[in-house]
């Protein structure tokens, strides 16, 4: 996905018009139109303003997703979890309260993150550092009733897959920031931006919150 494609997609997700973007950036609507069609490119100052408006980081906004996808292909070929892509699995996590997932499909791998799908079609993001073990789900009769697992070729960025979606986030036990002595529980939030290191969300009171991905046990689409 190119800069032009991402700009247009993010703008529409925020329900902003080209005029809205133009006003905030101090340019004409025609300039924004050129940005979204690949006929023009914003100056660095305008790029930073766009990041604030769209609530994404500069690296995400500029990086060509085609190039990233090629990198993911190479990574998936070398990952120990690669043989499980496209299969229904049991995934057990390193957590004293939440054992793991009984029936999930592995869609894609990105860096240390696994994009999974549960038996209702809801997406799940799990870091490999939280995984204790993975094994094949062997109930063939149940598998026949499940929907098809999306092809990993359709996924260019697992983080982008969750942007502007409501998700539940479960923190690891003894969360250092929030001070839990027991597992943190579930929190319904709207995901605004996500990277390998941090995730920024809006909670039900529309407060902006940022967490380290290393503190998250898993994130699941509501």
């Amino acid at each position: 996905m190119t800069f032009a494609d991402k700009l247009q997609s993010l703008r529409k997700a925020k329900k902003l018009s080209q005029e809205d973007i133009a006003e905030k950036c101090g340019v004409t609507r025609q300039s924004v139109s050129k940005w979204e069609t690949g006929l023009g490119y914003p100056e660095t100052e305008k790029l930073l303003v766009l990041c604030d408006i769209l609530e994404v980081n500069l690296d995400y906004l500029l990086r060509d997703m085609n190039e990233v996808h090629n990198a993911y292909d190479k990574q998936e070929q070398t990952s120990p979890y690669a043989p499980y892509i496209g299969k229904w699995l049991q995934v057990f996590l390193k957590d004293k309260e939440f054992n793991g997932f009984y029936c999930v499909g592995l869609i894609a791998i990105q860096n240390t993150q696994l994009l999974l799908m549960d038996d209702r079609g809801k997406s799940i993001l799990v870091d490999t550092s939280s995984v204790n073990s993975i094994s094949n789900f062997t109930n063939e009769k149940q598998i026949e009733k499940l929907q098809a697992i999306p092809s990993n070729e359709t996924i260019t960025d697992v983080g982008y897959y969750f942007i502007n979606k409501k998700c539940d986030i479960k923190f690891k036990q003894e969360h250092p920031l929030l001070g839990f002595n027991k597992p943190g529980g579930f929190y319904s939030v709207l995901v605004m931006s996500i990277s390998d290191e941090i995730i920024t969300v809006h909670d039900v009171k529309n407060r902006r919150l940022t967490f380290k991905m290393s503190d998250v046990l898993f994130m699941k689409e509501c």
Side-chain angles (χ1 to χ4, degrees), residues 47-182:
L47 285 170
L48 296 176
V49 175
L50 285 171
C51 288
D52 289 337
I53 297 170
L54 303 173
E55 296 186 293
V56 295
N57 59 50
L58 188 60
D59 181 67
Y60 172 79
L61 191 62
L62 295 182
R63 185 177 293 181
D64 189 330
M65 289 297 102
N66 289 327
E67 295 178 4
V68 174
H69 189 53
N70 290 335
Y72 296 164
D73 288 342
K74 294 178 182 179
Q75 180 185 354
E76 288 178 348
Q77 292 171 7
T78 59
S79 170
Y81 300 103
Y84 295 104
I85 293 176
K87 296 181 179 179
W88 289 99
L89 311 166
Q90 295 181 88
V91 179
F92 295 99
L93 303 180
K94 300 174 183 176
D95 189 82
K96 293 182 180 179
E97 181 185 72
F98 188 87
N99 291 329
F101 302 100
Y102 175 65
C103 179
V104 290
L106 177 56
I107 302 174
I109 302 170
Q110 175 185 323
N111 298 328
T112 63
Q113 296 173 340
L114 305 178
L115 177 61
L116 306 169
M117 181 182 77
D118 70 9
D119 55 1
R120 296 183 301 157
K122 299 296 185 180
S123 302
I124 305 168
L125 192 65
V126 175
D127 193 271
T128 55
S129 65
S130 299
V131 175
N132 187 39
S133 67
I134 288 181
S135 60
N136 289 317
F137 181 68
T138 57
N139 189 328
E140 295 295 337
K141 290 184 177 180
Q142 186 172 342
I143 290 176
E144 290 177 0
K145 299 177 182 179
L146 298 172
Q147 60 182 290
I149 299 172
S151 170
N152 64 332
E153 294 180 357
T154 66
I155 309 300
T156 54
D157 186 342
V158 300
Y160 184 74
Y161 200 78
F162 290 88
I163 289 179
N164 292 313
K165 290 185 178 180
K166 288 187 177 180
C167 296
D168 291 330
I169 294 178
K170 186 172 180 62
F171 293 105
K172 296 177 181 177
Q173 190 170 359
E174 298 179 353
H175 187 279
L177 176 62
L178 303 180
F180 295 126
N181 292 320
K182 294 183 178 180

